[in-house]
Amino acid sequence: MLVFILFTIWALGLFVLFTDPRRTEIRWGSATAFVGGGGFLAGVIDEFILVHYADILAQHPGWLNAFSILSRGASFVCQVGLPYTFLMFAIHSSDTISKKVKRVIQYTALIPPLFMLMITPLYPVLDFNYWIMVAWVIPYFLVACALLIILYRQEKDPLVKKNRFFTNILIIVPLFFVFTFIYVMRIQNDYDAWRYNSLVVGIQFIFIVAISLKYGFLGVRLRVEKRRLDSTLRAITSGAQIVNHTIKNEVGKISLYAERMQAYAQKTDQPQLLEDAAVLQQSSEHILNMVARIQDQLREVILREDTVYPGQIVTQVANTLAPYTEKYQIEVVLELEDTEQMTCDPVQLREVLTNLGMNAIEAMKSGGRLAFQVFRSKKHLVIAVADTGSGISKENLPHVLDPFFSTKKTGHNFGLGLSYCYHVMQKHQGMLELTSEPGNGTTVFLLFPKKRMVHH
C-alpha cells in the first residue's frame, strides 16, 4: 500500500510538472508533491525493505546503514520541506508580489528549516521537537492557504479561476489533514497518525481523476468538447453547402414559374391569381435571403490580422449598439485597459462583439446593464461581455455553442451567432467561455492567447 501511495504522489508531481514546466509555481507545486512523498519513502524503507529483506541486509551492514540513513533523511526532508515548498508554491502563484520580494521571502523562509537541521538529531533516531515545528509550520500553512484563497477570489479570467478553485480543493484540503497527522498529532504523542495520510492521498487521487473528467481540470475535458464542436461545425458546413445549392436550384424554378404566373394573370386580368403569384415570389425571395444568411455565417473564416487596441474596438461596438441600448433603457458600462494591444482580425472581432452585444440586448428588453471589460490575466487577454438579463437555463447551457441551437422564438434567428463567435475564437487560437444563471444574466469571455498580446 505504501509503495502504491508513494508512486501515486510522485506520478502526480510529474504530471503537474509536465503541464507547464517553465512556470515557477508549477515547479514548486511539483516539488511539494515530491517532498511530501519523502515521508512515504521512509515508510517503504522501514516497513517494507528493512522488514522483508532483513536477512540479506544483516549480511551487508553497509547497505543496512545506507537504507537507515536514507529513511531518516527522507522523513526529515518531508517534515521540514513540505511546509516550505507549499508556502513557495503559494507565493510564486501570485502576480501581485514582485520578483524581488518573492526572492527575499524565498530565502528568509529557509531560516526555520535550516534551524531545524541544526537542532534535530538525524541518526540513529530522528528526534524532532514538535513544539518548535508547530510554531513555524502552522503559520506557513495558514499564510499559504490565505494567499491561494485570495488569488482565487481576485481572479477574473474564468479558466484560471476555475483552475485555482480545483487546485485549492485538491491541495489545501488534503494538506490540512496531512499537517494535522504529521505535526499536531505528534504533540499529543500520537506517532502513528501519519498512516492516515495514505487514505488522504488515495481520496485525493480519486478526486483528481473525477474532477478531470467532469469539470476539465488542467484542460482534459476542454479538449474533448473542442473536438466535438469542431467536428460538428465541419459536418454542418459541408452539409449546408449541399443543401443550400439544392434549395437555390429549386427556389429558382419556383421563382421562374411565379413570374410566368404573374405575366399570365396580368394578361388575362385575374387579380386573385396575380396575388397568389406575388406571394410565391415573396416566399422565394425570403428563402433565398435566409439561405444566403446561413451560408454567410457558415462560411470559412479567413483572418486578416492587424495590430489593434481591443478597447477601441469595444468602444466602437458600444457606439453601434447605442440606438438599441437607449431604446430599451440599458445602461452600458465600459471597463477597458486602453493600453493593451494585440494582433487579431479587427473586422471579425467587431462582428463577434456585435453578436454578443445583440444577444445581451435581446435578453434585456425590459432594461438592465451591459458591461464590456478588457483586461490581461496570467495566460490570456480577456474581453468579457456581461448582461443582467434573463440568463440561460441549466438544461440549455451545454448546448448554446451548438450550431442551429437557439432559445429565441423569432423566425429570423438561426442559432448560428454563438457558433460563429466560437469559430472566430478558434481561428485566433483562443477560447470562448460562457457562464450564466437564470435570472442573473450571462457573461461571455473571449480568451485570446498570451502570444497575441503586443508587449510594450
Side-chain angles (χ1 to χ4, degrees):
M1 180 65 176
L2 287 176
V3 175
F4 172 76
I5 294 296
L6 174 62
F7 281 109
T8 298
I9 291 177
W10 283 355
L12 288 174
L14 283 173
F15 178 67
V16 170
L17 181 63
F18 284 119
T19 58
D20 193 351
R22 293 174 296 179
R23 286 169 52 195
T24 309
E25 67 267 31
I26 291 293
R27 295 199 294 270
W28 279 111
S30 179
T32 301
F34 278 101
V35 169
F40 289 100
L41 176 59
V44 169
I45 293 172
D46 291 342
E47 301 188 8
F48 181 76
I49 295 177
L50 296 183
V51 172
H52 288 82
Y53 300 96
D55 294 339
I56 298 174
L57 292 172
Q59 301 172 16
H60 300 84
W63 282 102
L64 180 61
N65 287 335
F67 276 114
S68 298
I69 292 171
L70 179 60
S71 170
R72 306 300 178 268
S75 182
F76 178 85
V77 168
C78 171
Q79 295 185 60
V80 171
L82 185 59
Y84 175 76
T85 54
F86 180 48
L87 177 63
M88 290 305 102
F89 167 70
I91 293 292
H92 286 280
S93 294
S94 174
D95 287 332
T96 57
I97 303 174
S98 67
K99 288 184 178 179
K100 184 177 180 181
V101 173
K102 287 178 182 178
R103 197 176 300 115
V104 170
I105 296 173
Q106 187 171 318
Y107 292 119
T108 305
L110 271 173
I111 294 174
L114 291 175
F115 178 71
M116 295 307 301
L117 181 62
M118 292 171 58
I119 68 170
T120 305
L122 296 178
Y123 190 81
V125 177
L126 182 62
D127 188 14
F128 279 108
N129 184 324
Y130 282 101
W131 285 103
I132 295 177
M133 284 284 284
V134 167
W136 65 272
V137 165
I138 299 303
Y140 275 32
F141 175 72
L142 293 177
V143 169
C145 290
L147 268 174
L148 292 175
I149 292 169
I150 290 169
L151 288 172
Y152 164 73
R153 292 180 64 88
Q154 291 179 342
E155 185 59 59
K156 293 188 289 184
D157 185 324
L159 289 185
V160 177
K161 191 179 183 74
K162 181 170 70 173
N163 194 49
R164 288 198 190 281
F165 176 75
F166 291 126
T167 298
N168 288 356
I169 289 178
L170 296 172
I171 292 181
I172 292 177
V173 176
L175 281 182
F176 169 78
F177 289 104
V178 168
F179 276 55
T180 300
F181 296 144
I182 291 180
Y183 308 104
V184 177
M185 296 304 291
R186 287 178 178 176
I187 293 177
Q188 311 300 320
N189 296 317
D190 185 349
Y191 288 86
D192 287 327
W194 69 271
R195 298 180 186 279
Y196 293 115
N197 288 333
S198 300
L199 179 62
V200 172
V201 173
I203 294 172
Q204 181 188 32
F205 179 75
I206 292 170
F207 270 101
I208 286 176
V209 173
I211 288 173
S212 297
L213 293 174
K214 187 171 183 179
Y215 297 105
F217 181 61
L218 294 176
V220 173
R221 190 166 185 260
L222 180 67
R223 286 193 286 271
V224 174
E225 288 297 311
K226 175 182 176 296
R227 290 195 189 100
R228 182 184 68 82
L229 282 168
D230 288 347
S231 61
T232 302
L233 278 171
R234 283 196 298 270
I236 287 178
T237 300
S238 58
Q241 288 173 345
I242 297 170
V243 172
N244 286 350
H245 181 72
T246 304
I247 289 174
K248 281 183 178 179
N249 287 341
E250 297 306 313
V251 169
K253 294 177 186 176
I254 294 172
S255 181
L256 176 63
Y257 280 98
E259 288 177 3
R260 290 176 63 178
M261 285 174 61
Q262 281 181 318
Y264 180 76
Q266 288 175 343
K267 184 178 179 181
T268 58
D269 191 22
Q270 299 186 54
Q272 186 61 49
L273 183 60
L274 192 62
E275 286 182 18
D276 292 344
V279 170
L280 278 176
Q281 193 70 36
Q282 289 170 6
S283 297
S284 300
E285 290 175 3
H286 175 71
I287 292 172
L288 288 174
N289 287 336
M290 184 184 74
V291 168
R293 287 178 61 187
I294 293 174
Q295 199 163 14
D296 282 345
Q297 292 207 293
L298 286 174
R299 72 185 186 280
E300 180 67 19
V301 174
I302 299 173
L303 299 184
R304 293 177 175 82
E305 297 186 26
D306 198 0
T307 301
V308 300
Y309 289 93
Q312 291 181 357
I313 293 179
V314 169
T315 303
Q316 293 168 3
V317 170
N319 291 335
T320 303
L321 296 174
Y324 302 98
T325 54
E326 290 170 4
K327 176 182 178 182
Y328 298 112
Q329 297 181 328
I330 296 171
E331 176 192 6
V332 178
V333 179
L334 303 181
E335 300 175 20
L336 313 175
E337 294 185 10
D338 296 328
T339 59
E340 297 295 348
Q341 284 183 280
M342 70 173 177
T343 56
C344 71
D345 185 326
V347 175
Q348 301 286 0
L349 176 57
R350 195 175 293 111
E351 183 68 18
V352 166
L353 291 172
T354 301
N355 261 296
L356 298 179
M358 289 304 297
N359 282 350
I361 291 168
E362 285 276 346
M364 295 188 291
K365 290 292 184 68
S366 57
R369 182 176 182 270
L370 174 60
F372 291 92
Q373 282 183 298
V374 176
F375 59 90
R376 183 192 293 250
S377 75
K378 182 176 289 188
K379 291 184 176 182
H380 307 105
L381 189 141
V382 184
I383 303 176
V385 182
D387 66 64
T388 57
S390 54
I392 302 168
S393 69
K394 188 176 180 180
E395 296 76 26
N396 289 332
L397 195 57
H399 306 291
V400 292
L401 293 180
D402 293 344
F404 298 107
F405 179 84
S406 177
T407 59
K408 300 172 187 176
K409 304 305 180 185
T410 52
H412 60 273
N413 183 276
F414 309 115
L416 289 168
L418 282 175
S419 297
Y420 162 75
C421 297
Y422 169 83
H423 192 37
V424 171
M425 291 306 300
Q426 290 297 108
K427 284 290 184 178
H428 284 87
Q429 302 91 42
M431 289 170 282
L432 185 150
E433 283 281 309
L434 186 146
T435 61
S436 185
E437 290 182 30
N440 291 324
T442 302
T443 302
V444 180
F445 298 91
L446 306 178
L447 306 164
F448 292 90
K450 196 173 183 179
K451 63 184 178 182
R452 287 194 166 272
M453 301 183 202
V454 177
H455 300 283
H456 305 291

